[in-house]
Amino acid sequence: MTDPAASAFSTPDALKRLKRRRAADVRFRLYGMGAIFLALGALVLLAMSIGAQAVSAATYHVVRYDITLDPAVITPPGEETPEEIARNVDGFWELLRDNLLATFPEANKDRAARMEVSEFVTRLAVLPTAKRVASQPQLLGNAITLKAPLNDDLDLYLKGQAFAERRVGTGAISGVLPQDDGSAQIEGQGAFAPIKTAMMTLEADGINLSEASVLLTSGSSTGRLHDIQSDSASIELLTGTLEAFQGSSATARIIALPEAQRVISDQQIAWTLALKDMDRISRVPRWSLLTNSDSTYPELAGGLAALVGSLFTMLVTALVAIPIGILAAVYLEEFAPKNRLTDFIEVNINNLAAVPSIVFGLLGAAVYINFLGMPRSAPLVGGLVLALMTFPVVIIAARAALKAVPPSVRSGALAIGASQMQTVFHHVVPLAAPGIFTGAILGMARALGETAPLLLIGMVAFVGDVPTSPTDESTVMPVLIYTWSNNAERAWEPMTSAMIVILLAVLLLMNGLVVFLRRKYERRW
Amino acid sequence: MDTDHRPQTDGAVVAPDADAPPAAPPRIDCRDIRVFYGATQAIHNVSMSFPDRAVTALIGPSGCGKSTFLRCLNRMNDTIENCRVEGQILMDGQDINDHSIDAVLLRSRVGMVFQKPNPFPKSIYDNIAYGPRIHGLASGREDLDAIVEKSLRRAGLWEEVKDRLQAPGTSLSGGQQQRLCIARAIAVRPEVILMDEPCSALDPVATARIEELIDELRKRYCIVIVTHSMQQAARVSQRTAFFHLGNLIEMGETEQIFTNPREKRTEDYITGRYG
Ligand SMILES: Nc1ncnc2c1ncn2[C@@H]1O[C@H](COP(=O)(O)OP(=O)(O)OP(=O)(O)O)[C@@H](O)[C@H]1O
Ligand SMILES: [Mg+2]
């Protein structure tokens, strides 16, 4: 007897069908993998572009100052109370500037030079020190060491992100001959040939060096080179001493970008290099990103106020949206009769979830601020606006979770005489809890990243103080990112990325919480 | 002393292991029951009564309304959207559909066991203890422990689970789960137990255990069981009712129904000539 199955397996028709089916199978798998690779690629690209920028903002350069807290400057007559000390930012700042002027005597030569050295440290950078001294008056008259952030442009320069610079070592310098005009002739057999070679290569690459600066550094002395020949060059000293070059092999920096087009001058670079050589500049983690509030100076700016603002906003959102969302979902799913009215409500909840967030912002501005007279720019209003946006999401997720609870659980409870309320709250809701939490947290995560509606209720205002209550003026992280990304200065770019990373970290934390809650609740049974 | 009966309304003293007389007075009396799902009628004018301390089997082809009728007896039909029940169901002379009767209280007196075992996703202990807790049947922790043990013993499950009362109810085998559900039902001290195909998801050994259990429970409760197995109906029940297309065709002593049915349709069905 021939096996009918065997023959059916091997008919040409069946084989053809089989082949087609397998091909379709393989194709589908390839599409799937392609989609996943695309998504992963986008993710990696995002992580790399933002991550690289953020890493550069994660650290910054600070300058060490050894100063004496001169009472004549810190507490001029009539301004001796701690409050006045804390407010005497100018006095402290003068101490730092004078310290730099003492370090670099050449900066005293004219007003322009004094201005240039002034830019090294932002006035507001001394605020923490001022507060410290105000609370510890015994420090007055004593020597203290403090560290203040370096100007953001010089910081970028030290990180190598300001402009292109080619560094080459020179040969040994054998002679330094001071000239009448204050410059000097330096010589050395073939000492400057490497510079000439490097410049030729750069020019061959199409870089215009007609207005380039060539800075020569030895130790903490730096000068600008002119008339570069293989064996000799003329040097215009910017800082330090000519003797430093005698017998040394110096480092030359070729900066193609003309000085007039840069935000930092050759002189400032020279001083920065000198401070670095004196070990007064160090690169440290920028904790101020998390501990400072917003500032107009990137080296002082941080996201603390926005972080706290986001926290308050989320608190309000959570307190409003989650209970309302869950109760509404439980009522609609478990108690409400199924009729036209509830159908209508269901459709409209779905519609509400699809409303663009900016509309909620307009609504919030009109209702909460103009009609109810709530404070502008406050997390209270922001949280309420975001709650409007979040609770439909919570309702939808919670209803899905409740629907997924098998009806047998309900009938089991009802059949032993549990009331509907007991059935729902003792059996159905606990089973749906992981799903409900997931929905709630994902809704909150969406609200945390929301910018548009908050702009409309004024949460975009510059906020220098950490809010202490939900009614204080405040901003939130995504809005801060938006504001920073609009700032023109180069230094804001990495700062913006760093802020994005912080926001993403908070979001990841929330998603981690979802996973944790799911695990915890699902492991129970 | 292991009786936990409520006082009987007729005042009869119940001997713990008294054999049920087949002709006990009716515990539940149904008159002219009609059930509608929306506009379609699923049960047509059914009148029948269920004696106390006896097992009544409901048999009939699939879709004839056995489950629907069973659900009338503890008003579980109330929980079904657009299901309407008409007619009178008297339990101890009181209409259970009367507005003065709370469905929740009724269900604590009329327990139900479902076709698919549906233990709560909680521990074995909590599965049993839940009912007594919400009805306030236990006066303390020890009392509750005693109720749990007694219920599990009655359901013949105690020996198998006594060492793992805190294990999830869903970790038991299908047959054990079904016995857990029976234990859960009797823990609230019902007077009537409804069973809707309690063995259809079980193997023959587990089925035999449940049948033994039913036979044991018959001594204390009024039991109504829906089954698709003629043998099971013949084995466990004292009275049998045959349903067809929403009508009660015939009702009588089980022996009479299986050996000498009055109706042709009944005979056709139990001899397997029907669909
Ligand atoms: N929830 C419901 N909504 C609408 N119609 C229903 C519903 N439940 C049952 N019915 C209908 O009522 C009739 C009786 O159903 P029921 O479940 O009582 O039958 P059954 O005798 O228990 O069948 P089975 O032996 O297959 O369990 C069937 O025609 C069924 O389609
Ligand atoms: Mg059924």
Side-chain angles (χ1 to χ4, degrees):
Chain A
M1 177 182 138
T2 53
D3 191 345
S7 57
F9 278 135
S10 50
T11 59
D13 227 30
L15 285 179
K16 216 164 84 196
R17 268 202 305 273
L18 183 71
K19 214 167 131 192
R20 251 196 317 218
R21 208 177 59 227
R22 290 223 172 119
D25 234 50
V26 168
R27 242 179 300 139
F28 177 76
R29 257 175 239 193
L30 287 179
Y31 292 154
M33 284 199 290
I36 287 176
F37 275 124
L38 221 65
L40 276 183
L43 196 70
V44 167
L45 212 69
L46 179 86
M48 284 200 327
S49 69
I50 292 181
Q53 287 262 359
V55 163
S56 116
T59 59
Y60 69 157
H61 290 92
V62 292
V63 183
R64 177 169 51 84
Y65 299 89
D66 296 304
I67 56 170
T68 304
L69 293 171
D70 183 358
V73 181
I74 304 298
T75 53
E79 292 184 21
E80 285 138 351
T81 64
E83 292 77 43
E84 281 159 340
I85 295 177
R87 241 182 289 129
N88 191 6
V89 170
D90 283 329
F92 285 93
W93 180 77
E94 259 172 53
L95 289 179
L96 298 197
R97 191 202 50 192
D98 292 347
N99 175 281
L100 287 177
L101 288 175
T103 314
F104 304 116
E106 65 275 11
N108 287 302
K109 71 172 190 272
D110 56 27
R111 230 183 95 78
R114 289 167 69 90
M115 284 294 293
E116 281 190 297
V117 91
S118 300
E119 283 173 11
F120 265 67
V121 51
T122 318
R123 266 164 218 270
L124 286 174
V126 298
L127 200 59
T129 313
K131 286 188 176 147
R132 191 173 120 216
V133 175
S135 64
Q136 297 168 277
Q138 70 273 19
L139 287 174
L140 271 177
N142 291 343
I144 62 164
T145 297
L146 69 91
K147 289 183 174 176
L150 184 64
N151 171 295
D152 57 294
D153 294 310
L154 293 168
D155 177 56
L156 278 188
Y157 168 74
L158 283 180
K159 287 173 180 164
Q161 290 165 351
F163 37 74
E165 171 190 276
R166 171 69 64 90
R167 253 179 266 177
V168 284
T170 64
I173 295 167
S174 53
V176 180
L177 310 167
Q179 307 287 302
D180 295 339
D181 62 355
S183 70
Q185 192 71 22
I186 49 176
E187 293 168 356
Q189 187 64 43
F192 308 111
I195 302 180
K196 286 205 75 89
T197 322
M199 289 178 81
M200 258 145 65
T201 339
L202 285 174
E203 278 181 323
D205 288 345
I207 296 168
N208 176 11
L209 294 182
S210 57
E211 289 179 75
S213 294
V214 181
L215 302 180
L216 191 70
T217 307
S218 172
S220 41
S221 302
T222 299
R224 190 159 37 205
L225 293 187
H226 302 283
D227 302 330
I228 303 163
Q229 309 300 327
S230 281
D231 299 332
S232 72
S234 147
I235 186 167
E236 172 196 346
L237 194 65
L238 293 172
T239 184
T241 60
L242 283 175
E243 290 79 60
F245 294 97
Q246 180 73 49
S248 77
S249 316
T251 308
R253 290 178 162 77
I254 306 165
I255 301 168
L257 193 65
E259 193 177 11
Q261 292 178 25
R262 288 188 241 132
V263 278
I264 52 175
S265 63
D266 289 345
Q267 181 68 66
Q268 285 173 322
I269 293 174
W271 285 330
T272 307
L273 293 174
L275 284 173
K276 203 165 159 58
D277 183 68
M278 295 170 201
D279 268 341
R280 282 183 56 182
I281 291 187
S282 46
R283 192 167 181 172
V284 298
R286 195 199 289 255
W287 295 119
S288 59
L289 258 181
L290 290 172
T291 58
N292 280 11
S293 294
D294 200 7
S295 163
T296 40
Y297 303 98
E299 65 267 39
L300 298 180
L304 182 62
L307 202 75
V308 174
S310 274
L311 222 71
F312 276 130
T313 309
M314 286 300 104
L315 199 72
V316 174
T317 306
L319 286 180
V320 175
I322 293 181
I324 290 184
I326 292 178
L327 288 180
V330 169
Y331 176 75
L332 282 175
E333 200 55 45
E334 303 289 333
F335 293 95
K338 304 269 175 287
N339 57 29
R340 283 234 190 91
L341 183 67
T342 46
D343 280 352
F344 179 76
I345 291 174
E346 172 159 9
V347 167
N348 280 295
I349 287 172
N350 292 341
N351 285 342
L352 210 57
V355 169
S357 57
I358 195 145
V359 176
F360 289 110
L362 281 169
L363 185 75
V367 174
Y368 295 134
I369 297 178
N370 293 341
F371 186 66
L372 295 178
M374 291 186 183
R376 276 181 74 79
S377 314
L380 176 66
V381 178
L384 287 174
V385 166
L386 293 180
L388 280 181
M389 209 187 85
T390 308
F391 89 88
V393 179
V394 177
I395 292 182
I396 291 171
R399 287 190 72 176
L402 290 168
K403 258 198 194 97
V405 174
S408 67
V409 169
R410 292 184 185 85
S411 38
L414 288 173
I416 54 168
S419 70
Q420 196 167 3
M421 189 79 175
Q422 288 168 331
T423 304
V424 169
F425 286 100
H426 295 170
H427 299 281
V428 180
V429 170
L431 281 178
I436 294 177
F437 279 133
T438 306
I441 295 177
L442 291 182
M444 296 287 295
R446 201 189 127 191
L448 182 63
E450 199 57 65
T451 322
L454 300 182
L455 298 182
L456 289 181
I457 55 153
M459 287 191 87
V460 70
F462 177 87
V463 177
D465 293 318
V466 178
T468 53
S469 83
T471 50
D472 285 353
E473 203 170 71
S474 156
T475 186
V476 294
M477 283 192 284
V479 175
L480 187 72
I481 290 170
Y482 167 77
T483 322
W484 281 6
S485 70
N486 277 348
N487 288 349
E489 267 180 275
R490 279 282 311 278
W492 288 107
E493 245 173 68
M495 295 284 288
T496 308
S497 297
M499 209 52 219
I500 290 173
V501 168
I502 293 173
L503 177 62
L504 289 181
V506 175
L507 287 174
L508 275 182
L509 213 71
M510 289 177 82
N511 286 351
L513 196 68
V514 169
V515 174
F516 172 76
L517 283 176
R518 284 211 95 112
R519 288 264 165 82
K520 187 175 149 76
Y521 274 85
E522 277 169 7
R523 208 188 297 139
R524 264 170 67 186
W525 307 118
Chain B
M1 164 99 194
D2 63 353
T3 64
D4 54 3
H5 272 16
R6 287 151 191 268
Q8 301 293 306
T9 38
D10 55 8
V13 179
V14 182
D17 286 317
D19 235 25
R27 193 67 217 253
I28 300 177
D29 203 3
C30 303
R31 294 181 192 159
D32 257 355
I33 302 301
R34 298 174 301 277
V35 183
F36 302 85
Y37 288 111
T40 54
Q41 190 166 2
I43 299 286
H44 303 268
N45 299 65
V46 170
S47 296
M48 66 188 289
S49 61
F50 300 92
D52 199 10
R53 270 168 278 148
V55 177
T56 306
L58 307 183
I59 60 172
S62 184
C64 67
K66 306 180 294 292
S67 300
T68 302
F69 183 72
L70 196 68
R71 283 197 300 265
C72 294
L73 302 180
N74 67 344
R75 286 179 56 181
M76 280 297 271
N77 279 332
D78 291 9
T79 66
I80 295 175
E81 204 78 31
N82 71 53
C83 179
R84 189 159 45 88
V85 179
E86 290 174 1
Q88 253 191 340
I89 301 173
L90 300 177
M91 190 173 166
D92 304 331
Q94 231 181 345
D95 187 352
I96 64 166
N97 285 315
D98 196 89
H99 287 299
S100 63
I101 303 277
D102 183 29
V104 165
L105 282 181
L106 173 71
R107 288 184 202 133
S108 71
R109 292 176 62 188
V110 182
M112 186 165 195
V113 176
F114 297 82
Q115 176 171 3
K116 218 174 119 236
N118 60 347
F120 300 132
K122 296 178 187 294
S123 70
I124 294 172
Y125 183 94
D126 285 336
N127 259 281
I128 312 291
Y130 180 71
R133 267 196 203 122
I134 58 171
H135 294 299
L137 298 183
S139 52
R141 177 81 204 180
E142 270 141 52
D143 209 11
L144 195 58
D145 287 349
I147 292 178
V148 170
E149 178 173 345
K150 192 153 57 185
S151 306
L152 283 170
R153 275 192 198 284
R154 287 241 167 102
L157 193 59
W158 176 251
E159 291 303 322
E160 288 156 74
V161 302
K162 65 175 181 217
D163 298 324
R164 48 176 176 138
L165 289 176
Q166 292 310 320
T170 43
S171 69
L172 298 174
S173 77
Q176 289 173 325
Q177 285 188 21
Q178 196 61 296
R179 277 180 282 149
L180 182 66
C181 291
I182 294 173
R184 181 176 74 185
I186 58 185
V188 290
R189 301 183 208 162
E191 296 146 48
V192 179
I193 300 178
L194 312 176
M195 299 185 177
D196 194 350
E197 302 181 40
C199 301
S200 65
L202 306 181
D203 70 85
V205 177
T207 301
R209 293 221 48 171
I210 303 271
E211 284 178 9
E212 263 170 48
L213 176 58
I214 293 171
D215 210 45
E216 185 66 29
L217 294 174
R218 161 167 75 85
K219 295 166 189 162
R220 298 158 200 282
Y221 305 100
C222 163
I223 295 176
V224 185
I225 178 170
V226 170
T227 177
H228 273 288
S229 155
M230 297 308 112
Q231 292 86 342
Q232 185 170 63
R235 279 193 303 264
V236 302
S237 73
Q238 284 73 52
R239 291 172 65 78
T240 298
F242 172 62
F243 279 73
H244 185 227
L245 296 177
N247 292 298
L248 174 63
I249 304 300
E250 188 171 352
M251 161 115 189
E253 301 297 318
T254 299
E255 208 170 294
Q256 174 252 312
I257 294 279
F258 278 93
T259 53
N260 185 22
R262 278 190 294 273
E263 290 278 334
K264 175 93 170 56
R265 275 174 292 180
T266 317
E267 189 181 344
D268 285 352
Y269 180 71
I270 52 185
T271 52
R273 239 170 292 159
Y274 183 96

